[in-house]
Amino acid sequence: MQTVICIGMAGSGKTTFMQRLNSHLHAEKNPPYVINLDPATLKVPFGCHIDIRDSIKYKKVMENYDLGPNGAIVTSLNLFSTKIDQVMKIVEKRSDTFKNCIIDTPGQIECFVWSASGSIITESFASQYPTVIAYIVDTPRNQSPSTFMSNMLYACSILYKTKLPMVLVFNKNDVVKADFAIDWMKDFEVFQEAILKNKELQGETGMGSGYMGSLVNSMSLMLEEFYSQLDCVQVSSATGAGFDDFTKAVDNKVKEYNEFYKKEREETLKRKELEEEKMKKESMTKLMKDLKIKNKKDVNKEAHSDSSADVISDLEEGENDGILDPDSEQEENDDIGAAAEREYTFSEDRELGEVNDTVPDLQAKYQEALEKTAKDVSSETAENIVKYIRG
């Protein structure tokens, strides 16, 4: 299935174009899958498989949210886009039955193109099916060079916004032929002559100012590359002329989508996934730092360093294993003796184990021991020590 999204200024004839395209495809025994996304229209002159008006009431949205016409259209599209996954499932079930899916958008072009819901709906279809933008131009209104330039800038912005292949459709060909517009797009000098002619006709009220003239000239030069990437067709929604050319242009753009746009979109999606993974890792790292949680690598490093330290300490402690220290038994006996002496410092009849009050006996023992060791020292030093202890 290939998708055609019809976009254009208010009054350009999008709904009539949709009706004629629908009947043209039925005449070729290739009926399309039709979707209406205009919640404010009172009557749709063609049968729809999915109609936004069935699920969202435009007037109720205005009353409940206290909105004006444009705000209610944007809100209705936002409400509809919340269920876009269900819409895509319905379309997917019928994708094998229909070759073409044509979508009508609201007359207020900014409500669809520049809203979040418009991007969601467009991306949803473009991610699953080859999608082409049909930009409808009101040919009689674009006979002025300034109006034509404004319309082309709008088309360029939509192409840049959607990043999808576009077919420029000059509608109402039965009223005014679009040969002049195609000549302006192909030849810069012809467009310059039209600017000068318009200046002579309208004088200072038109494009007489030097600023406007230079601006339009520079814009026309800038749009030459934009024109080269477009397929232009002339159609008449009233008579049905030119719709064979339109279907051929759509088929060419579908091939272009598969060759260029699809690869670019896949690369963009991969880039977004990588960026999201990177952001997730960075946020997780920050969270772990905030919570003071260590990474597995850091834990393994610390474990390895701890194990090596344990081995070294074990070796150091084990260096003297099996070697008898001659002073060890004496130290143990001294410890035992000290423990035995400490036992006498606690009274047996006291439950709380307080220190015994027989301090003079303990003091006499220490003094006796000190006097024995003081024999090897000079008598004066020993006497001074004894006096110091007694005092």
Side-chain angles (χ1 to χ4, degrees), residues 41-140:
T41 185
L42 297 176
K43 186 178 180 181
V44 178
F46 48 83
C48 297
H49 295 86
I50 297 176
D51 196 340
I52 190 175
R53 300 177 303 166
D54 296 337
S55 56
I56 298 170
K57 304 300 179 183
Y58 173 70
K59 291 184 178 180
K60 288 290 183 182
V61 172
M62 291 182 67
E63 294 174 2
N64 295 338
Y65 295 95
D66 193 18
L67 297 171
N70 290 344
I73 291 174
V74 173
T75 305
S76 299
L77 288 170
N78 291 339
L79 294 172
F80 183 79
S81 63
T82 59
K83 304 295 182 182
I84 191 63
D85 55 337
Q86 299 179 13
V87 175
M88 296 307 299
K89 288 180 181 178
I90 296 172
V91 175
E92 187 177 359
K93 291 179 181 178
R94 308 296 299 276
S95 59
D96 296 334
T97 308
F98 299 91
K99 178 186 176 182
N100 298 287
C101 176
I102 56 177
I103 302 174
D104 190 17
T105 59
Q108 288 76 3
I109 187 172
E110 66 277 0
C111 295
F112 180 80
V113 175
W114 304 116
S115 64
S117 56
S119 299
I120 292 171
I121 294 170
T122 304
E123 290 288 334
S124 299
F125 279 94
S127 61
Q128 295 191 22
Y129 310 106
T131 304
V132 179
I133 302 295
Y135 186 76
I136 315 300
V137 180
D138 189 351
T139 307

Side-chain angles (χ1 to χ4, degrees), residues 336-354:
I336 294 172
E341 290 179 354
R342 290 191 192 98
E343 288 178 0
Y344 293 101
T345 63
F346 297 91
S347 61
E348 296 178 357
D349 55 345
R350 297 196 181 188
E351 297 178 355
L352 298 177
E354 296 177 355

